[in-house]
Amino acid sequence: MDKIRFATVWLAGCSGCHMSFLDLDELLFDLADAVEVVYSPVGSDIKTYPENVDICLVEGAVANEENLELALKVRRNTKFVVSFGDCAVLGNVPTLRNVLHGPDPVLRRCYVELSDYGGQIPNAPGIVPKLLDKVQPLHYYIDVDLYLPGCPPSADRIRDAIFPLLRGEKPVMEGREMLKFG
Amino acid sequence: MATKTLEKPTSQQQEKDKRFKILDVVIKKNHCRQDALIEVLHKAQSTFGYLEDDVLLYIARQLKLPPSEVFGVATFYHLFSLKPAGAHSCVICLGTACYVKDSPRLLEELAVSFNLHPGETTPDGKVSLMTARCIGACGLAPAAIFDGKVCGKQTPESVRTQVQNWLEE
Amino acid sequence: MSVVTLKIDNVDVAIEAGSTILQAAREAGIKIPTLCYLEGVSPVGACRLCLVEIKGSDRLHASCVTPVSEGMEVFTQTEKLKEYRKMLVELLFAEGNHICAFCVSNGNCELQDVAIEVGMDHTRFNYRFPERDVDLSHPLFGIDHNRCILCTRCVRVCAEIEGAHVWNVAFRGAAAKIISGLNQPWGEVSSCTSCGKCVEACPTGSIFRKGVTTAEMKKHPDYIEFLHTAREEHQWTR
Amino acid sequence: MEFSELQRIAAEYQAQRKPIRIRYCHAAGCQSCGSLAVAEALQREVSAQGLTEEVEVCPVGCMRLCGRGCLVDIQGKLYERVRPEDAPSLVASIKDDSITPTAPAGSYDHPFFAYQLPIVLENCGKINPEEIDEYIAVGGYQQLEKVLHSMTPQEVIREITISGLRGRGGAGYPTGLKWSTVAKMPKTPKYVVCNADEGDPGAFMDRSVLESDPHRVLEGMAIAAYAVGANQGYIYVRAEYPLAISRLQKAIQQAKRREILGSQIFGSTFDFKIDIRVGAGAFVCGEETALMASIEGKRGNPRPRPPYPAESGLWGCPTLINNVETFANVVPIIREGGEWFSGIGTATSKGTKVFALTGKVKNTGLIEVPMGTTLHRIVMEMGEGCADGKKVKAVQTGGPSGGCVPVEYFDTPVDYESLKSLGTIMGSGGMIVVDEDTNMVGLARYYMEFCRGETCGKCIPCRTGTVQLYQMLTKILSGEATEKDLESLRQLSALVKETSLCGLGQTAPNPVLSTLRFFEQEYKQLLKS
């Protein structure tokens, strides 16, 4: 049998969910036995999101055009998308900028007002992706098959969510252990 | 959040300001009853033009109500305003009959011509624009109220002309 | 005192006449989620989480304000109720700016608990991202309106138990907001006794004690119940 | 004050009248068309033509065909769209048949009037609402006198019960049952409240009644107070109706002066006082528990029921709340008997109903028809369809709490049950006609925008649900929505309807559900493929 084509994606998040993923520790060996990691900031060097992915964990909210493009691609190329962690599920910390009304005040605050001297807003075309008007959770833009909340989700929670998936079962997302936000 | 003064208005201030006396009349007429709060706020609104903090505080003291309650009630009802209004008022009715007869276009016209939106007053303080849920003049839709006078069958042009005339006063 | 008997989720319950369905359910060990309800202050029936179905009625009833009656058959966990409760919690999350990750009450929050209880894993509704402020003018406490769910427990506890009337709801609808005094900074409201009851009453991390950081704010809403009972029964120890 | 006194006032008043009367409407609608200037011109002309001895110009209440104001009636001839410059020819035509007045002539034979059965509006457009003696001259306050001297409270309630009268505010609760519940409450004091917070956009029946015949409402309230044992009444009027407020104030003053309100009315032991409470712009205050909170000077937040106002209302006391039109029906029921009233209308809905017919309809105005009249008769015959040759698409009843009835269902008789079966409600009586150009999704969003702005914010589903529903409808209108959004719209509508605390939230999704039911195609056409 072919191995499950497995990916993880990192959008607007702190990478904490990926760190927690790595906390699976020795279970990573079991995972490695079951899957082929085809795309992941922590498990693969491939730079473009491939086709025919079976399962993808998406960390982070959608904050800029690059995030959005990748999210749409993930959906197109993936059978089962997991919204991975509070930023993907709820928007969480990245959405704090939304109350500032659009990207311009955010960039000004960040790069001009808070700079020690000579602040300027980075604008190199093709390098700095354009910020979207509002940061949104992943499911605002694409259909999501499973929500895995937590900031970050604990390694145990990740285990209890993804190992059933590998067996082709839907994990039971119930109770404090599996659902608590934060 | 603006800091607010909490001193009781001194007797001198009150003497200066006869308007507090007008308020006192209504309060006395209602025997300082707390259920008269809305009546008193109506009077305050018409006497002072809007409900300033010191007015609200004065009412709270006279009716022996917590300031939080007075503020809560004053901000619940559309007709009470915490901000001063313009010299002239234009109210566009957005009742259903007016709506199906295109009253939103009247608002669009004012937004385009004068950059005036509901709830706003022109920078020169001359005209305030408000909307009403329904003024009951549905037979004459779309309707507007110019300085208290109900005018039926309005068009974007007629509304613009009226506001223009006020601005040129 | 007369007693009525009723069935809640097919369990027979006997309780004093005049009690509410919620009281009866709690006595029978049946859990109905609540947010605006707080033992010790008057119920307002506003959060709608405690809605139940009653046999013979085509409406849903808020169990915190509906009195029991003889022979009543109550259902607290039908599929419809479960779905509605979940949607209500989702609506709350979409309404404010609830970011558990760095909230003082993370892990000790009734909103978070209710979300778990109803099985909410995300919200289907669009976030509103309202612009709300934080008031830190009080020397001991703070209020973060981003986390407020307008349950009015602070308003009621301050008015009904402390008698200080610091809080009220101002404005209306989507703009409704908890205010202190004349919409002043909390620290400037002279009637505040700094008793801290609102802090204990607040179900979320909206009202908190200064100096606590993420997940450190423990709340004791049962303290309000204790105060209320103590007054009624002259039993001043817990 | 005694009965003979009433008769004396009536007789004296009649004796003073001049033989020829020019009646002009001075209710709010015609006033805003300049009816006061018309009246002045008419008066001037009467003097100029030397007719002051025999002709008088009389201000009267609403003459119903509001869309064609100013309305003037000269000896049973109706004139429409009268302007001050029409006065000379109008006055001259009184004496000289050969003169044709310049104002367009209307006709009472027109279906708009012919199908009406004025019971509530029997005095509207006939008497001067600012003059109590005119009301007395048409038999006013005789029923109150009769009730106080020859009927027990139980007999009054029985008569109302027999009549089958149901609440005209919208929900249609049996009035007799409500009265008898309040009457049986042991606790005192009791209160009678008249709900005149007519907030539905597009409805102005109550305003017209208050502006045209305020004493009838006062008399109805006094009879109700006697029946339930109350001594204090409140009329809660919305501030948007200044003319209605001033006429009510005047009416109460006059009634007090005539000792019809106050202590020991008509020499009986019954005392009754009425105070006016003016709203301040809050639609939700039409909901009875919110209305009571507002009368008590509080935020207009509804509270859960039970307890119902009949048991625990104003200040925790038993309170009878009825709407203006309900109270206005009391006098004719007492006068003619409950049996008479129950002979009008349908099996479950008795009497007549006043509707405000507006929107894209040729004849806009106020109509009073027997319950069971079909929508076709109302909209197509009385209203004559759309003015500009457009096709009528539907009629919206019940305002933001109601729904629309498409033209295919116009053979529906208008009564509480039939409208309910079509997913709408009778409501207070607003009927807004929409034509083929009206976008029904846009109309649904209009109502949601209304509810979003009017929700008090107390309960979660109404406070947050209306905002979300509004956003969903906006998304659909912008062409960005998918089938999934339509499903969410349905789900959320069901939630708000079933879980909201008060009537505002419980009915807020109705316009959405109703347009989804009859005009789903319009929603589907807007979806992204």
Side-chain angles (χ1 to χ4, degrees), chain D residues 87-104:
Chain D
S89 65
L90 279 171
V91 174
S93 74
I94 297 174
K95 287 282 163 188
D96 187 346
D97 283 346
S98 65
I99 295 177
T100 313
T102 49

PDB file of all heavy atoms in Angstrom, chain D residues 87-104:
ATOM      1  N   ALA D  87     -59.708  77.388  -3.171  1.00  0.00           N
ATOM      2  CA  ALA D  87     -60.741  77.795  -2.216  1.00  0.00           C
ATOM      3  C   ALA D  87     -61.880  78.600  -2.849  1.00  0.00           C
ATOM      4  O   ALA D  87     -63.050  78.286  -2.610  1.00  0.00           O
ATOM      5  CB  ALA D  87     -60.113  78.555  -1.047  1.00  0.00           C
ATOM      6  N   PRO D  88     -61.579  79.623  -3.679  1.00  0.00           N
ATOM      7  CA  PRO D  88     -62.690  80.426  -4.219  1.00  0.00           C
ATOM      8  C   PRO D  88     -63.714  79.590  -4.974  1.00  0.00           C
ATOM      9  O   PRO D  88     -64.916  79.687  -4.705  1.00  0.00           O
ATOM     10  CB  PRO D  88     -61.979  81.402  -5.170  1.00  0.00           C
ATOM     11  CG  PRO D  88     -60.588  81.493  -4.650  1.00  0.00           C
ATOM     12  CD  PRO D  88     -60.273  80.158  -4.066  1.00  0.00           C
ATOM     13  N   SER D  89     -63.251  78.717  -5.852  1.00  0.00           N
ATOM     14  CA  SER D  89     -64.216  77.947  -6.640  1.00  0.00           C
ATOM     15  C   SER D  89     -64.950  76.936  -5.764  1.00  0.00           C
ATOM     16  O   SER D  89     -66.134  76.673  -5.973  1.00  0.00           O
ATOM     17  CB  SER D  89     -63.512  77.255  -7.807  1.00  0.00           C
ATOM     18  OG  SER D  89     -62.597  76.301  -7.324  1.00  0.00           O
ATOM     19  N   LEU D  90     -64.246  76.377  -4.763  1.00  0.00           N
ATOM     20  CA  LEU D  90     -64.895  75.410  -3.870  1.00  0.00           C
ATOM     21  C   LEU D  90     -66.031  76.069  -3.109  1.00  0.00           C
ATOM     22  O   LEU D  90     -67.148  75.535  -3.035  1.00  0.00           O
ATOM     23  CB  LEU D  90     -63.881  74.832  -2.884  1.00  0.00           C
ATOM     24  CG  LEU D  90     -62.979  73.705  -3.395  1.00  0.00           C
ATOM     25  CD1 LEU D  90     -61.893  73.396  -2.382  1.00  0.00           C
ATOM     26  CD2 LEU D  90     -63.797  72.455  -3.679  1.00  0.00           C
ATOM     27  N   VAL D  91     -65.740  77.232  -2.543  1.00  0.00           N
ATOM     28  CA  VAL D  91     -66.761  77.906  -1.738  1.00  0.00           C
ATOM     29  C   VAL D  91     -67.904  78.385  -2.635  1.00  0.00           C
ATOM     30  O   VAL D  91     -69.080  78.242  -2.291  1.00  0.00           O
ATOM     31  CB  VAL D  91     -66.137  79.067  -0.929  1.00  0.00           C
ATOM     32  CG1 VAL D  91     -67.219  79.860  -0.199  1.00  0.00           C
ATOM     33  CG2 VAL D  91     -65.111  78.525   0.054  1.00  0.00           C
ATOM     34  N   ALA D  92     -67.531  78.886  -3.801  1.00  0.00           N
ATOM     35  CA  ALA D  92     -68.559  79.385  -4.720  1.00  0.00           C
ATOM     36  C   ALA D  92     -69.494  78.269  -5.169  1.00  0.00           C
ATOM     37  O   ALA D  92     -70.689  78.482  -5.360  1.00  0.00           O
ATOM     38  CB  ALA D  92     -67.897  80.047  -5.925  1.00  0.00           C
ATOM     39  N   SER D  93     -68.972  77.075  -5.299  1.00  0.00           N
ATOM     40  CA  SER D  93     -69.786  75.957  -5.789  1.00  0.00           C
ATOM     41  C   SER D  93     -70.892  75.569  -4.818  1.00  0.00           C
ATOM     42  O   SER D  93     -71.834  74.884  -5.180  1.00  0.00           O
ATOM     43  CB  SER D  93     -68.901  74.747  -6.095  1.00  0.00           C
ATOM     44  OG  SER D  93     -68.492  74.144  -4.884  1.00  0.00           O
ATOM     45  N   ILE D  94     -70.758  75.997  -3.566  1.00  0.00           N
ATOM     46  CA  ILE D  94     -71.784  75.648  -2.587  1.00  0.00           C
ATOM     47  C   ILE D  94     -73.129  76.234  -2.994  1.00  0.00           C
ATOM     48  O   ILE D  94     -74.170  75.596  -2.922  1.00  0.00           O
ATOM     49  CB  ILE D  94     -71.404  76.171  -1.179  1.00  0.00           C
ATOM     50  CG1 ILE D  94     -70.128  75.492  -0.708  1.00  0.00           C
ATOM     51  CG2 ILE D  94     -72.535  75.945  -0.180  1.00  0.00           C
ATOM     52  CD1 ILE D  94     -69.574  76.040   0.596  1.00  0.00           C
ATOM     53  N   LYS D  95     -73.069  77.469  -3.444  1.00  0.00           N
ATOM     54  CA  LYS D  95     -74.308  78.173  -3.763  1.00  0.00           C
ATOM     55  C   LYS D  95     -74.670  78.071  -5.238  1.00  0.00           C
ATOM     56  O   LYS D  95     -75.810  78.279  -5.613  1.00  0.00           O
ATOM     57  CB  LYS D  95     -74.164  79.665  -3.387  1.00  0.00           C
ATOM     58  CG  LYS D  95     -74.198  79.911  -1.898  1.00  0.00           C
ATOM     59  CD  LYS D  95     -75.630  79.851  -1.396  1.00  0.00           C
ATOM     60  CE  LYS D  95     -75.646  79.682   0.116  1.00  0.00           C
ATOM     61  NZ  LYS D  95     -76.983  79.434   0.625  1.00  0.00           N
ATOM     62  N   ASP D  96     -73.682  77.806  -6.039  1.00  0.00           N
ATOM     63  CA  ASP D  96     -73.933  77.828  -7.476  1.00  0.00           C
ATOM     64  C   ASP D  96     -73.475  76.512  -8.098  1.00  0.00           C
ATOM     65  O   ASP D  96     -72.282  76.250  -8.231  1.00  0.00           O
ATOM     66  CB  ASP D  96     -73.154  79.011  -8.094  1.00  0.00           C
ATOM     67  CG  ASP D  96     -73.509  79.182  -9.558  1.00  0.00           C
ATOM     68  OD1 ASP D  96     -74.117  78.259 -10.147  1.00  0.00           O
ATOM     69  OD2 ASP D  96     -73.162  80.242 -10.108  1.00  0.00           O
ATOM     70  N   ASP D  97     -74.440  75.659  -8.449  1.00  0.00           N
ATOM     71  CA  ASP D  97     -74.135  74.341  -8.989  1.00  0.00           C
ATOM     72  C   ASP D  97     -73.347  74.399 -10.292  1.00  0.00           C
ATOM     73  O   ASP D  97     -72.639  73.453 -10.634  1.00  0.00           O
ATOM     74  CB  ASP D  97     -75.444  73.574  -9.265  1.00  0.00           C
ATOM     75  CG  ASP D  97     -76.027  73.037  -7.993  1.00  0.00           C
ATOM     76  OD1 ASP D  97     -75.285  73.039  -6.991  1.00  0.00           O
ATOM     77  OD2 ASP D  97     -77.209  72.647  -7.996  1.00  0.00           O
ATOM     78  N   SER D  98     -73.491  75.511 -10.994  1.00  0.00           N
ATOM     79  CA  SER D  98     -72.863  75.577 -12.304  1.00  0.00           C
ATOM     80  C   SER D  98     -71.340  75.755 -12.201  1.00  0.00           C
ATOM     81  O   SER D  98     -70.630  75.577 -13.173  1.00  0.00           O
ATOM     82  CB  SER D  98     -73.464  76.729 -13.115  1.00  0.00           C
ATOM     83  OG  SER D  98     -73.133  77.957 -12.479  1.00  0.00           O
ATOM     84  N   ILE D  99     -70.867  76.119 -11.008  1.00  0.00           N
ATOM     85  CA  ILE D  99     -69.422  76.320 -10.858  1.00  0.00           C
ATOM     86  C   ILE D  99     -68.748  74.985 -10.546  1.00  0.00           C
ATOM     87  O   ILE D  99     -69.136  74.278  -9.611  1.00  0.00           O
ATOM     88  CB  ILE D  99     -69.132  77.348  -9.745  1.00  0.00           C
ATOM     89  CG1 ILE D  99     -69.685  78.711 -10.180  1.00  0.00           C
ATOM     90  CG2 ILE D  99     -67.637  77.433  -9.451  1.00  0.00           C
ATOM     91  CD1 ILE D  99     -69.527  79.778  -9.154  1.00  0.00           C
ATOM     92  N   THR D 100     -67.759  74.622 -11.341  1.00  0.00           N
ATOM     93  CA  THR D 100     -67.010  73.397 -11.079  1.00  0.00           C
ATOM     94  C   THR D 100     -65.730  73.763 -10.339  1.00  0.00           C
ATOM     95  O   THR D 100     -64.936  74.554 -10.836  1.00  0.00           O
ATOM     96  CB  THR D 100     -66.646  72.692 -12.392  1.00  0.00           C
ATOM     97  OG1 THR D 100     -67.811  72.653 -13.198  1.00  0.00           O
ATOM     98  CG2 THR D 100     -66.132  71.293 -12.131  1.00  0.00           C
ATOM     99  N   PRO D 101     -65.554  73.219  -9.160  1.00  0.00           N
ATOM    100  CA  PRO D 101     -64.349  73.558  -8.403  1.00  0.00           C
ATOM    101  C   PRO D 101     -63.086  73.114  -9.147  1.00  0.00           C
ATOM    102  O   PRO D 101     -63.111  72.133  -9.906  1.00  0.00           O
ATOM    103  CB  PRO D 101     -64.510  72.765  -7.106  1.00  0.00           C
ATOM    104  CG  PRO D 101     -65.962  72.473  -7.002  1.00  0.00           C
ATOM    105  CD  PRO D 101     -66.446  72.334  -8.403  1.00  0.00           C
ATOM    106  N   THR D 102     -62.012  73.854  -8.937  1.00  0.00           N
ATOM    107  CA  THR D 102     -60.764  73.520  -9.631  1.00  0.00           C
ATOM    108  C   THR D 102     -60.078  72.289  -9.045  1.00  0.00           C
ATOM    109  O   THR D 102     -59.277  71.656  -9.710  1.00  0.00           O
ATOM    110  CB  THR D 102     -59.785  74.716  -9.592  1.00  0.00           C
ATOM    111  OG1 THR D 102     -59.712  75.183  -8.235  1.00  0.00           O
ATOM    112  CG2 THR D 102     -60.241  75.827 -10.508  1.00  0.00           C
ATOM    113  N   ALA D 103     -60.397  71.980  -7.792  1.00  0.00           N
ATOM    114  CA  ALA D 103     -59.772  70.787  -7.182  1.00  0.00           C
ATOM    115  C   ALA D 103     -60.405  69.531  -7.762  1.00  0.00           C
ATOM    116  O   ALA D 103     -61.596  69.519  -8.066  1.00  0.00           O
ATOM    117  CB  ALA D 103     -59.961  70.822  -5.677  1.00  0.00           C
ATOM    118  N   PRO D 104     -59.632  68.454  -7.957  1.00  0.00           N
ATOM    119  CA  PRO D 104     -60.200  67.227  -8.496  1.00  0.00           C
ATOM    120  C   PRO D 104     -61.247  66.646  -7.553  1.00  0.00           C
ATOM    121  O   PRO D 104     -61.061  66.626  -6.334  1.00  0.00           O
ATOM    122  CB  PRO D 104     -59.009  66.278  -8.619  1.00  0.00           C
ATOM    123  CG  PRO D 104     -57.828  66.979  -8.084  1.00  0.00           C
ATOM    124  CD  PRO D 104     -58.207  68.367  -7.674  1.00  0.00           C
TER     125      PRO D 104
END
